[in-house]
Structure formats: C-alpha cells, structure tokens
Amino acid sequence: MVVQALPGNVRFRAYQLGLQSDLLTRVNATRRVPWRFTPTVDPHWTFPDVDTGTLDPAIAPYRMALDVTGQAAGPLAADDAQILWSGLLMGGVTPTGGPAYSWAFQPSATSADPYDPVSGEWGDEVTGDQFAYIGGIIDQLQLTFPQDLGPIQIQADYRYAAVEYPHTRQDLSVDTNPAWLYGADTALYINDTAGSIGITRMVDTMHDASITIASNTDVKRFSNGSNSNFNVSGYGRGARTLESTFNFAKSTQDLQEFADWLNASPVERFVVLDTTSREFVTGSTPYQQKVKFAGYWFTRSENAVGSNTTAQLVCRHVFDPDLPSPIDVLVVNGMATRLAPPA
C-alpha cells in the first residue's frame, strides 16, 4: 500500500504573467518568471462599529474595496528585465533591433506615461487553489547589487486590480538557462555634468549598492452600481522617487564624493550603473542593463566590510532637464516582446 504525499507542496508554486490590453480583461499567462511571489488578497471584511446590546459582534460583516498585492523576489535575468521596467516606469515601449533587442525606457517627468497591465497566475499544484490576478502593475522596485557579486536581486511590489478564484493556471516552463545580470559585471560611473554622464568610471570603490524606485501609485475606484466595483478601476501616477545607496571604500575617488556630500552648496551627481554581461545575445552583442539618473547625496553612515571601514552614501534622484529622462533605462536582451515564453 502506498501513502500519497500531502497536497500543497511549496516547491510546486509558480508565478507567471501575460500582457493585457485592457485593465480588467484577464489573459492567459505566457511567461513563467524565476521569482518567489508572496501574494495578499484582502477584501477588507469589516464588522459594523455600532451598538447592538451585546458584548460580542452580532451583525454580519460587510465588504469594502479589494486590495490585491504581492511581492516578487529573486535574481534578475536579462530576458526578464523589460518586464520590471515596463511594469514600473512606462508601458508601450517597442524594442528595436533583433535578434539582440534594445529596450529604451525613458519616462517623462512632465506627463503621465501609460501602463502595461499584466495578468498573473500563482499557486501550487492543487488545481482548486490557484489564483488569477488581473490588471497588474509594479508600484515599487528595489534592485540590490550584492557584495558577493552574484546576480542582481529584485523585490518588485505588484498591485493588481482584481482577482479570480479558483483558477487553473497555464502549464508553462521556466527558462532553465537564464543569462543572469551579475553584480560582478556592474560598473559605476559618477560625473559632474549631464554632458559627461557615463564617462568617469569608479574603480575599486563600490562594495555593494541598491536602488529603490517608488511610484506612489494613485489607486482609483468608482461607484458604478455593481459589486464588481470592489475592483480597482484605474491607476494614476504619483510622485516618483528614486533612492540609491552605495557602500563605498575609502578610495581617492570616493573621498571626493564624501566632500561633495558635506559641501556648503548642493553638488549634483550624474550616475550610471551599467551591467554588461559576459554572455552574448548574439554575435558580439552582450546582454546589458544600464540605469542612468541625476541626484544629490543626502546622508552618510559608517559601515565596514571585513577589516576595512566604509561609508554608505544615500542619493536621491532629481529631474534634470539636460538629461533625456529623469530615470533612463536601457535593456539589451533576446526578447522581441515583453512576455514571450523561453526559446
């Protein structure tokens, strides 16, 4: 006699996405991503706060606006980078080239760019307990460039407009040989002017770093005479922030940055984090992710790496009209579309 394993194995969970053309119209997922997803679905059931003549709740609860959120976390592969930037910064980007494709994300500071909403599917192997999420965007993204020089780690905070349950997820496969974007392949450039951005490379200076971009999304709901309107009806772009943290050694180059931080007048810095892989999309074209922005040093804290002291500087970005975009991102990979399945 055999004894069956208990259902609901953690290792059978999967998160996969499909690109929508309408906010509340679900599509089937087309790409499984190599991240761990932790969702939260909250219909906000609430007991009325009223007098009932009892010590205990005596009235059935009511529902309120639905919140569907979740955090995706894991290493960043080059062929998944455009998923993050289109979900966070702007939709409607068409790549150029091929078979090595260039994705240029240059969101506007003076107008609201469109969204690329996605459908998400998540769950383990229990077919009666799988979810479909609808109208997804990324509200906040953190990239961590680790001290061990391994792959860039991501934390992407998703927000969805609606949920379907139960749902049967598509039978997809993850990319089994991804081209990771490594901290070891990341170069930092800091310059004094917009015209010189990306010229001066910081050598033997950066132990580790992180970038956190928050969209502060304005979630819209309308009373349209249907309980389906517990769902989100639309999104508005809020005040965007980018905060980057660098753990610096005490090199000659870094000493100048420390001095700029404590200068009597603010000193604008022009920053590039360029991750150029040692793997090639095709021919001599490598996988790449390049992030550019301008900002100012705000805080310093003391740190250490092994037996050496370090200083951690925090930069907050600013819109500089001499740059093409307040946050300028280039991704080069093998993806002709945002969410194509692995080749």
Side-chain angles (χ1 to χ4, degrees):
M1 176 181 174
V2 297
V3 177
Q4 299 297 327
L6 288 174
N9 193 305
V10 170
R11 299 299 302 172
F12 293 147
R13 288 176 178 170
Y15 183 48
Q16 48 202 38
L17 302 168
L19 182 65
Q20 297 177 199
S21 57
D22 179 76
L23 181 65
L24 291 175
T25 302
R26 184 185 64 79
V27 299
N28 290 333
T30 55
R31 185 172 181 85
R32 180 171 291 182
V33 288
W35 306 326
R36 180 161 293 151
F37 188 61
T38 306
T40 299
V41 178
D42 190 351
H44 293 286
W45 288 110
T46 302
F47 280 119
D49 186 13
V50 295
D51 299 328
T52 61
T54 65
L55 291 174
D56 309 286
I59 302 175
Y62 54 80
R63 276 190 63 172
M64 294 191 292
L66 179 70
D67 279 314
V68 183
T69 58
Q71 185 176 88
L76 178 58
D79 280 346
D80 295 322
Q82 78 288 342
I83 300 172
L84 299 175
W85 298 114
S86 65
L88 177 74
L89 293 181
M90 60 184 303
V93 174
T94 300
T96 60
Y101 294 93
S102 294
W103 296 80
F105 298 93
Q106 295 182 326
S108 174
T110 57
S111 62
D113 290 296
Y115 291 96
D116 269 345
V118 296
S119 292
E121 297 177 344
W122 177 84
D124 52 37
E125 84 283 10
V126 180
T127 55
D129 192 38
Q130 297 172 352
F131 288 81
Y133 310 109
I134 304 162
I137 61 169
I138 297 175
D139 184 53
Q140 178 170 295
L141 174 65
Q142 181 179 77
L143 302 181
T144 300
F145 302 78
Q147 200 173 119
D148 62 15
L149 304 182
I152 298 169
Q153 299 294 311
I154 69 109
Q155 288 186 346
D157 293 344
Y158 276 85
R159 171 172 284 280
Y160 285 92
V163 64
E164 288 184 7
Y165 178 86
H167 169 79
T168 302
R169 74 181 191 211
Q170 305 302 301
D171 185 14
L172 303 177
S173 298
V174 72
D175 186 351
T176 58
N177 189 28
W180 301 116
L181 292 172
Y182 282 93
D185 296 327
T186 300
L188 172 64
Y189 299 81
I190 302 179
N191 283 99
D192 297 328
T193 65
S196 63
I197 190 170
I199 292 179
T200 303
R201 185 168 180 169
M202 307 290 284
V203 179
D204 295 338
T205 60
M206 185 179 78
H207 287 290
D208 54 81
S210 67
I211 298 175
T212 302
I213 303 171
S215 295
N216 294 300
T217 303
D218 184 12
V219 179
K220 299 296 186 183
R221 298 180 173 91
F222 297 105
S223 297
N224 286 330
S226 168
N227 283 347
S228 67
N229 287 288
F230 287 126
N231 298 332
V232 171
S233 298
Y235 300 116
R237 294 199 179 272
R240 184 168 49 220
T241 62
L242 182 156
E243 184 170 284
S244 53
T245 302
F246 299 91
N247 192 16
F248 283 137
K250 294 188 176 178
S251 68
T252 301
Q253 287 179 300
D254 291 331
L255 292 178
Q256 182 57 54
E257 300 306 318
F258 303 157
D260 289 342
W261 159 69
L262 207 54
N263 197 61
S265 299
V267 180
E268 189 174 2
R269 314 310 290 139
F270 294 85
V271 182
V272 177
L273 279 163
D274 184 356
T275 306
T276 301
S277 176
R278 290 160 290 173
E279 296 187 45
F280 296 95
V281 186
T282 183
S284 59
T285 304
Y287 292 95
Q288 185 181 26
Q289 176 181 266
K290 184 185 292 186
V291 182
K292 301 179 183 180
F293 57 92
Y296 295 93
W297 299 124
F298 266 69
T299 62
R300 168 179 168 157
S301 58
E302 306 311 308
N303 211 331
V305 175
S307 60
N308 290 97
T309 60
T310 64
Q312 186 169 279
L313 286 184
V314 174
C315 177
R316 295 177 185 169
H317 96 299
V318 65
F319 165 54
D320 189 303
D322 291 329
L323 293 177
S325 175
I327 304 171
D328 188 346
V329 180
L330 172 69
V331 172
V332 180
N333 60 21
M335 299 294 288
T337 61
R338 287 162 187 70
L339 288 165

mmCIF file of all heavy atoms in Angstrom, residues 35-60:
data_model
loop_
_atom_site.group_PDB
_atom_site.id
_atom_site.type_symbol
_atom_site.label_atom_id
_atom_site.label_comp_id
_atom_site.label_asym_id
_atom_site.label_seq_id
_atom_site.Cartn_x
_atom_site.Cartn_y
_atom_site.Cartn_z
ATOM 1 N N TRP A 35 10.998 33.880 -9.962
ATOM 2 C CA TRP A 35 10.912 34.642 -8.729
ATOM 3 C C TRP A 35 9.960 33.944 -7.760
ATOM 4 O O TRP A 35 9.094 33.162 -8.169
ATOM 5 C CB TRP A 35 10.391 36.061 -8.995
ATOM 6 C CG TRP A 35 11.166 36.813 -10.023
ATOM 7 C CD1 TRP A 35 12.507 36.734 -10.254
ATOM 8 C CD2 TRP A 35 10.655 37.753 -10.980
ATOM 9 N NE1 TRP A 35 12.872 37.572 -11.286
ATOM 10 C CE2 TRP A 35 11.749 38.214 -11.751
ATOM 11 C CE3 TRP A 35 9.376 38.264 -11.249
ATOM 12 C CZ2 TRP A 35 11.607 39.148 -12.776
ATOM 13 C CZ3 TRP A 35 9.233 39.191 -12.259
ATOM 14 C CH2 TRP A 35 10.346 39.636 -13.010
ATOM 15 N N ARG A 36 10.128 34.236 -6.500
ATOM 16 C CA ARG A 36 9.185 33.777 -5.486
ATOM 17 C C ARG A 36 8.167 34.886 -5.252
ATOM 18 O O ARG A 36 8.530 36.035 -5.016
ATOM 19 C CB ARG A 36 9.926 33.432 -4.190
ATOM 20 C CG ARG A 36 9.022 32.950 -3.065
ATOM 21 C CD ARG A 36 9.842 32.209 -2.028
ATOM 22 N NE ARG A 36 10.359 30.959 -2.577
ATOM 23 C CZ ARG A 36 11.482 30.378 -2.182
ATOM 24 N NH1 ARG A 36 12.232 30.940 -1.259
ATOM 25 N NH2 ARG A 36 11.865 29.232 -2.723
ATOM 26 N N PHE A 37 6.891 34.529 -5.322
ATOM 27 C CA PHE A 37 5.816 35.511 -5.205
ATOM 28 C C PHE A 37 5.050 35.271 -3.915
ATOM 29 O O PHE A 37 4.662 34.141 -3.608
ATOM 30 C CB PHE A 37 4.880 35.414 -6.405
ATOM 31 C CG PHE A 37 3.845 36.504 -6.470
ATOM 32 C CD1 PHE A 37 4.226 37.830 -6.576
ATOM 33 C CD2 PHE A 37 2.488 36.212 -6.435
ATOM 34 C CE1 PHE A 37 3.286 38.851 -6.645
ATOM 35 C CE2 PHE A 37 1.539 37.213 -6.511
ATOM 36 C CZ PHE A 37 1.941 38.542 -6.616
ATOM 37 N N THR A 38 4.845 36.349 -3.156
ATOM 38 C CA THR A 38 4.083 36.278 -1.910
ATOM 39 C C THR A 38 2.880 37.204 -2.024
ATOM 40 O O THR A 38 3.003 38.422 -1.867
ATOM 41 C CB THR A 38 4.962 36.700 -0.721
ATOM 42 O OG1 THR A 38 6.164 35.926 -0.717
ATOM 43 C CG2 THR A 38 4.219 36.487 0.587
ATOM 44 N N PRO A 39 1.701 36.647 -2.332
ATOM 45 C CA PRO A 39 0.525 37.493 -2.572
ATOM 46 C C PRO A 39 -0.293 37.757 -1.310
ATOM 47 O O PRO A 39 -0.240 36.999 -0.335
ATOM 48 C CB PRO A 39 -0.287 36.656 -3.557
ATOM 49 C CG PRO A 39 0.019 35.242 -3.153
ATOM 50 C CD PRO A 39 1.431 35.235 -2.630
ATOM 51 N N THR A 40 -1.063 38.833 -1.363
ATOM 52 C CA THR A 40 -2.045 39.141 -0.327
ATOM 53 C C THR A 40 -3.326 39.596 -1.009
ATOM 54 O O THR A 40 -3.301 40.542 -1.806
ATOM 55 C CB THR A 40 -1.549 40.253 0.616
ATOM 56 O OG1 THR A 40 -0.353 39.827 1.260
ATOM 57 C CG2 THR A 40 -2.601 40.576 1.672
ATOM 58 N N VAL A 41 -4.421 38.913 -0.719
ATOM 59 C CA VAL A 41 -5.740 39.306 -1.216
ATOM 60 C C VAL A 41 -6.594 39.690 -0.011
ATOM 61 O O VAL A 41 -6.834 38.869 0.872
ATOM 62 C CB VAL A 41 -6.415 38.166 -2.010
ATOM 63 C CG1 VAL A 41 -7.806 38.585 -2.460
ATOM 64 C CG2 VAL A 41 -5.557 37.771 -3.205
ATOM 65 N N ASP A 42 -7.025 40.935 0.038
ATOM 66 C CA ASP A 42 -7.757 41.429 1.204
ATOM 67 C C ASP A 42 -9.058 42.096 0.762
ATOM 68 O O ASP A 42 -9.049 43.208 0.225
ATOM 69 C CB ASP A 42 -6.893 42.434 1.979
ATOM 70 C CG ASP A 42 -7.498 42.797 3.330
ATOM 71 O OD1 ASP A 42 -8.658 42.410 3.594
ATOM 72 O OD2 ASP A 42 -6.814 43.477 4.117
ATOM 73 N N PRO A 43 -10.202 41.428 0.987
ATOM 74 C CA PRO A 43 -11.499 42.047 0.672
ATOM 75 C C PRO A 43 -11.980 43.001 1.765
ATOM 76 O O PRO A 43 -13.062 43.576 1.636
ATOM 77 C CB PRO A 43 -12.435 40.849 0.555
ATOM 78 C CG PRO A 43 -11.829 39.824 1.451
ATOM 79 C CD PRO A 43 -10.341 40.027 1.422
ATOM 80 N N HIS A 44 -11.176 43.157 2.824
ATOM 81 C CA HIS A 44 -11.487 44.103 3.902
ATOM 82 C C HIS A 44 -12.873 43.852 4.513
ATOM 83 O O HIS A 44 -13.681 44.777 4.665
ATOM 84 C CB HIS A 44 -11.381 45.553 3.406
ATOM 85 C CG HIS A 44 -9.985 45.962 3.062
ATOM 86 N ND1 HIS A 44 -9.010 46.219 3.997
ATOM 87 C CD2 HIS A 44 -9.384 46.136 1.850
ATOM 88 C CE1 HIS A 44 -7.879 46.548 3.402
ATOM 89 N NE2 HIS A 44 -8.068 46.501 2.102
ATOM 90 N N TRP A 45 -13.132 42.585 4.870
ATOM 91 C CA TRP A 45 -14.346 42.305 5.633
ATOM 92 C C TRP A 45 -14.298 43.057 6.963
ATOM 93 O O TRP A 45 -13.288 43.033 7.666
ATOM 94 C CB TRP A 45 -14.472 40.807 5.894
ATOM 95 C CG TRP A 45 -14.825 39.991 4.685
ATOM 96 C CD1 TRP A 45 -14.030 39.117 4.008
ATOM 97 C CD2 TRP A 45 -16.086 39.974 4.014
ATOM 98 N NE1 TRP A 45 -14.701 38.558 2.966
ATOM 99 C CE2 TRP A 45 -15.974 39.061 2.935
ATOM 100 C CE3 TRP A 45 -17.300 40.645 4.213
ATOM 101 C CZ2 TRP A 45 -17.029 38.808 2.067
ATOM 102 C CZ3 TRP A 45 -18.354 40.391 3.353
ATOM 103 C CH2 TRP A 45 -18.211 39.478 2.289
ATOM 104 N N THR A 46 -15.396 43.733 7.296
ATOM 105 C CA THR A 46 -15.401 44.626 8.453
ATOM 106 C C THR A 46 -16.712 44.477 9.233
ATOM 107 O O THR A 46 -17.804 44.529 8.641
ATOM 108 C CB THR A 46 -15.250 46.094 8.001
ATOM 109 O OG1 THR A 46 -14.036 46.229 7.259
ATOM 110 C CG2 THR A 46 -15.238 47.035 9.195
ATOM 111 N N PHE A 47 -16.596 44.272 10.540
ATOM 112 C CA PHE A 47 -17.791 44.308 11.387
ATOM 113 C C PHE A 47 -18.230 45.756 11.581
ATOM 114 O O PHE A 47 -17.395 46.642 11.817
ATOM 115 C CB PHE A 47 -17.511 43.695 12.764
ATOM 116 C CG PHE A 47 -17.551 42.194 12.791
ATOM 117 C CD1 PHE A 47 -16.415 41.470 13.145
ATOM 118 C CD2 PHE A 47 -18.713 41.495 12.487
ATOM 119 C CE1 PHE A 47 -16.439 40.080 13.186
ATOM 120 C CE2 PHE A 47 -18.745 40.119 12.522
ATOM 121 C CZ PHE A 47 -17.613 39.402 12.869
ATOM 122 N N PRO A 48 -19.536 46.037 11.509
ATOM 123 C CA PRO A 48 -20.010 47.396 11.785
ATOM 124 C C PRO A 48 -19.652 47.811 13.216
ATOM 125 O O PRO A 48 -19.810 47.022 14.158
ATOM 126 C CB PRO A 48 -21.528 47.297 11.611
ATOM 127 C CG PRO A 48 -21.748 46.062 10.790
ATOM 128 C CD PRO A 48 -20.639 45.124 11.153
ATOM 129 N N ASP A 49 -19.143 49.010 13.376
ATOM 130 C CA ASP A 49 -18.803 49.535 14.700
ATOM 131 C C ASP A 49 -20.011 50.290 15.236
ATOM 132 O O ASP A 49 -20.093 51.535 15.181
ATOM 133 C CB ASP A 49 -17.575 50.446 14.582
ATOM 134 C CG ASP A 49 -17.079 50.919 15.943
ATOM 135 O OD1 ASP A 49 -17.529 50.357 16.962
ATOM 136 O OD2 ASP A 49 -16.271 51.861 15.974
ATOM 137 N N VAL A 50 -20.982 49.512 15.725
ATOM 138 C CA VAL A 50 -22.255 50.079 16.189
ATOM 139 C C VAL A 50 -22.647 49.425 17.513
ATOM 140 O O VAL A 50 -22.060 48.427 17.938
ATOM 141 C CB VAL A 50 -23.374 49.855 15.139
ATOM 142 C CG1 VAL A 50 -23.073 50.613 13.857
ATOM 143 C CG2 VAL A 50 -23.551 48.360 14.845
ATOM 144 N N ASP A 51 -23.669 50.002 18.149
ATOM 145 C CA ASP A 51 -24.191 49.457 19.405
ATOM 146 C C ASP A 51 -25.263 48.421 19.102
ATOM 147 O O ASP A 51 -26.240 48.706 18.395
ATOM 148 C CB ASP A 51 -24.791 50.571 20.264
ATOM 149 C CG ASP A 51 -23.755 51.619 20.642
ATOM 150 O OD1 ASP A 51 -22.573 51.243 20.790
ATOM 151 O OD2 ASP A 51 -24.128 52.797 20.770
ATOM 152 N N THR A 52 -25.088 47.211 19.646
ATOM 153 C CA THR A 52 -26.028 46.121 19.370
ATOM 154 C C THR A 52 -26.637 45.522 20.638
ATOM 155 O O THR A 52 -27.404 44.568 20.557
ATOM 156 C CB THR A 52 -25.312 45.002 18.581
ATOM 157 O OG1 THR A 52 -24.232 44.491 19.381
ATOM 158 C CG2 THR A 52 -24.782 45.514 17.254
ATOM 159 N N GLY A 53 -26.280 46.048 21.811
ATOM 160 C CA GLY A 53 -26.795 45.484 23.050
ATOM 161 C C GLY A 53 -26.101 44.197 23.435
ATOM 162 O O GLY A 53 -26.604 43.468 24.293
ATOM 163 N N THR A 54 -24.959 43.904 22.823
ATOM 164 C CA THR A 54 -24.226 42.672 23.119
ATOM 165 C C THR A 54 -22.756 42.987 23.334
ATOM 166 O O THR A 54 -22.221 43.980 22.817
ATOM 167 C CB THR A 54 -24.343 41.658 21.968
ATOM 168 O OG1 THR A 54 -23.702 42.203 20.810
ATOM 169 C CG2 THR A 54 -25.803 41.355 21.653
ATOM 170 N N LEU A 55 -22.085 42.145 24.099
ATOM 171 C CA LEU A 55 -20.633 42.264 24.253
ATOM 172 C C LEU A 55 -19.897 41.798 23.004
ATOM 173 O O LEU A 55 -18.754 42.188 22.778
ATOM 174 C CB LEU A 55 -20.157 41.440 25.457
ATOM 175 C CG LEU A 55 -20.560 41.946 26.852
ATOM 176 C CD1 LEU A 55 -20.137 40.948 27.908
ATOM 177 C CD2 LEU A 55 -19.925 43.305 27.114
ATOM 178 N N ASP A 56 -20.535 40.962 22.236
ATOM 179 C CA ASP A 56 -19.883 40.315 21.104
ATOM 180 C C ASP A 56 -20.452 40.844 19.791
ATOM 181 O O ASP A 56 -21.580 41.352 19.745
ATOM 182 C CB ASP A 56 -20.102 38.801 21.185
ATOM 183 C CG ASP A 56 -19.737 38.256 22.548
ATOM 184 O OD1 ASP A 56 -18.538 38.168 22.827
ATOM 185 O OD2 ASP A 56 -20.666 37.973 23.343
ATOM 186 N N PRO A 57 -19.689 40.705 18.694
ATOM 187 C CA PRO A 57 -20.247 41.099 17.399
ATOM 188 C C PRO A 57 -21.544 40.340 17.118
ATOM 189 O O PRO A 57 -21.631 39.127 17.312
ATOM 190 C CB PRO A 57 -19.150 40.705 16.402
ATOM 191 C CG PRO A 57 -17.895 40.664 17.218
ATOM 192 C CD PRO A 57 -18.306 40.203 18.577
ATOM 193 N N ALA A 58 -22.568 41.062 16.669
ATOM 194 C CA ALA A 58 -23.884 40.445 16.454
ATOM 195 C C ALA A 58 -24.388 40.625 15.029
ATOM 196 O O ALA A 58 -25.449 40.095 14.685
ATOM 197 C CB ALA A 58 -24.898 41.032 17.440
ATOM 198 N N ILE A 59 -23.651 41.364 14.183
ATOM 199 C CA ILE A 59 -24.080 41.650 12.819
ATOM 200 C C ILE A 59 -23.029 41.124 11.852
ATOM 201 O O ILE A 59 -21.826 41.227 12.110
ATOM 202 C CB ILE A 59 -24.269 43.174 12.620
ATOM 203 C CG1 ILE A 59 -25.282 43.731 13.618
ATOM 204 C CG2 ILE A 59 -24.702 43.491 11.196
ATOM 205 C CD1 ILE A 59 -25.428 45.243 13.577
ATOM 206 N N ALA A 60 -23.490 40.563 10.762
ATOM 207 C CA ALA A 60 -22.581 40.034 9.753
ATOM 208 C C ALA A 60 -21.687 41.158 9.204
ATOM 209 O O ALA A 60 -22.118 42.313 9.104
ATOM 210 C CB ALA A 60 -23.358 39.397 8.609
#
